[in-house]
Amino acid sequence: MLFLLLPLLAVLPGGENADGFKEPVSFRVIQISSFYNHSWERNLGSGWLGDLQTHTWGKNIGTIIFLWPWSRGTFSDEEWMELDSLFRIHFIRFSEAVHRYTSESVFEYPFEMQITAGCEVYSGKLSGSFFRVAYQGSDFISFQNKSCLPSPLAGNAAKRFCKGFYQYQLDKEVIHHLLSDTCPRFLLGLLDAGKAHLQRQVKPEAWLSRGPSPGPGHLLLVCHVSGFYPKPVWVRWMRGEQEQPGTQRGDILPNADGTWYLQATLEVAAGEAANLSCWVKHSSLEGQDIVLYWEHHISMGLIILAVIVPLLLLIVCLALWFRKRCFH
Ligand SMILES: *[C@@H]1O[C@H](CO)[C@@H](O)[C@H](O)[C@H]1NC(C)=O
Ligand SMILES: *[C@@H]1O[C@H](CO)[C@@H](O)[C@H](O)[C@H]1NC(C)=O
Ligand SMILES: *[C@@H]1O[C@H](CO)[C@@H](O)[C@H](O)[C@H]1NC(C)=O
């Protein structure tokens, strides 16, 4: 009984709200700016609901592009126009300030700056917000409670940047309002507008293959699970009802269509592959677990071979026989 329950518990995500979303849920905007010299830079902007991209900014930070029909959330066109211009002003001012600080040798070309800013909600309420800036991949400054905090490791450069760029109370009020009011309101509206998409259930497909040989006399069994949504999934190699502790689970990787892919591998001695099976549990399967047996996989291969080879021979014979009859 416990054996049956444990995998189920593993499939159910930790905290879940009434709508079935994994909590807390976050929305973040990511900006990546590469500065090559004082006249050449490249900016990329994107918006993310958890690990799903929902927005992008046009080439070199143009206008906001909505990647899903529901990416507008519940905001009106006026609200979007206001946000669009707020972001544009931010991008322009940020880039001007960075170039200015470079001429004051706070930064040195070429370099990269990254910003991540957003909020988290839990049970329909704001549970946290963040605004962090990195220089060359390391923490540079962050924003907390209406103040700019230089990262301790970033030294004087970060202190000067905080003093100069985020000195105005107005800026701080705007950022604070965006993070603590606009962001959670938008996020909750987005979850509502995208409900049908975000709560869909897509069944995985699973198949087995042999991986690159790990050594003489050993096999690497690979169980592929692809096309499932949502992300939580349970995949194990089993012998009968016994979990194989050697199961190696890869990272869950995104498919282009927004579903997920995972592979689980197991290294075994060649003689021990019989009776092994790959088990897949996923919420979309509603308890109808997928179980694939390695020996069936092998014997399926043999069956195909046993059917196809004689068939091919037959076709070749027939072709030869026809040629003889027709051309002589
Ligand atoms: C800035 O960098 C770009 C791209 O590397 C280059 O084409 C351009 O000539 C540079 N401009 C100056 C003023 O160095
Ligand atoms: C933010 O500031 C308020 C008042 O200035 C204070 O009560 C609160 O504890 C601060 N929060 C954090 C996380 O520093
Ligand atoms: C596989 O299972 C069968 C029947 O349950 C058993 O007779 C056989 O010994 C098992 N083979 C291996 C390699 O465990």
Side-chain angles (χ1 to χ4, degrees), residues 198-225:
L198 298 167
Q199 292 180 21
R200 73 198 193 283
Q201 292 282 336
V202 188
K203 287 184 186 168
E205 276 183 55
W207 67 95
L208 305 177
S209 75
R210 189 183 288 195
S213 172
H218 277 73
L219 293 176
L220 187 67
L221 317 186
V222 187
C223 180
H224 308 259
V225 185

Side-chain angles (χ1 to χ4, degrees), residues 302-316:
L302 290 179
I303 288 167
I304 288 170
L305 215 67
V307 171
I308 287 195
V309 169
L311 210 68
L312 276 175
L313 281 175
L314 191 71
I315 290 169
V316 169

Side-chain angles (χ1 to χ4, degrees), residues 51-73:
D51 46 26
L52 176 67
Q53 189 177 358
T54 49
H55 302 77
T56 187
W57 269 263
K59 206 162 174 252
N60 244 340
I61 310 297
T63 51
I64 300 172
I65 295 168
F66 302 95
L67 297 179
W68 300 96
W70 45 269
S71 290
R72 289 175 167 271

